[in-house]
Amino acid sequence: MMIVSDILKVVKEEGSKGEGARISSLLRKANLPYNRLTEITDRMVSNGLLEVTPQERGSIYRITPKGEEVLDSLIKFEEFAKAFGLRL
Amino acid sequence: MSSPVNPDFLILAVQFVVAFAIAIVSLVGYRMFGSRTLFRMALSFFLIGGGILVQDAGNIATELAGFGPELSILGLVLEALGYFVLAISHIYTVRSEVGAEVSSMTLLLPFFAAAVQPSTALVLEGVARSVSFFLLLYILSENIIFLVKNRNAEALLPIVGFALLLASLFIRLFFVLPTETSDLVDLLKLAGFLILSGPVLVLLVRLRGGPP
């Protein structure tokens, strides 16, 4: 759960700075092996949370409106669990 | 014979509503995101709420028909199981998955200790409360450590809530109380549950588009 939340946060943050998030910056910040990360991002793309634009130097990920909505609710539930001293 | 709507029953009913509200919100979160933490929170508060409901039913049965201590004890055991599941969630939060499975076994110790006690109703009641006390103490400690480490002001509400539950259990366990004082202890527990509802209210306000 934390992984999806972390990926959405990084993609949103990178997206607000410029064109979107490259897989290299996701690898750096999510701290996951390449195969595991692409497996998760592929699933997030097929669920409509992220959109991907293939480019010469690797794909660029952007958060979709549905992804923003999910991230927003996720953050609220994270805060709820944290209030009880727990992590999602 | 007193009416079933006397203050004792109302106090238990409010506790039940608060516990179920926390459980339902956690369940909604679990269904949205599949988070195991939220599943454990839902299970925990359903058990606590169910335990309170069964205790309430036991009290009513005792008042009306002269039987029901068994129901009250079952309620106390369910409540203790609820605290056990919540304590396990804390272990999973602070440890790795493998470490958590081993560590959570240690939380079963009070239940094993309870199983070897002679089983008179009064002893069983005391044992169920003692187990709850031990688990609540652990939950409160983990909450305080989490607050100190993460400087999360919202964790203050559950800390106060759990501290009040612990205080009411402590008084019930170690003091023989006259009826008036016993009512005050029930009010202490009620205040604890009402404070525990704080994070649910905050979440509902946020989900409705209130301040982040």
Side-chain angles (χ1 to χ4, degrees), chain B residues 167-178:
Chain B
S168 76
L169 256 180
F170 180 80
I171 297 169
R172 281 234 173 270
L173 271 172
F174 296 107
F175 299 94
V176 180
L177 303 169

Side-chain angles (χ1 to χ4, degrees), chain A residues 1 76 79 82-84 87, chain B residues 33 37 90 143 150 155 158 206:
Chain A
M1 202 70 262
K76 286 166 183 165
E79 294 298 322
K82 269 192 197 171
F84 284 93
R87 290 191 196 284
Chain B
F33 307 114
T37 303
H90 280 282
N143 270 275
N150 299 282
R206 283 177 176 166

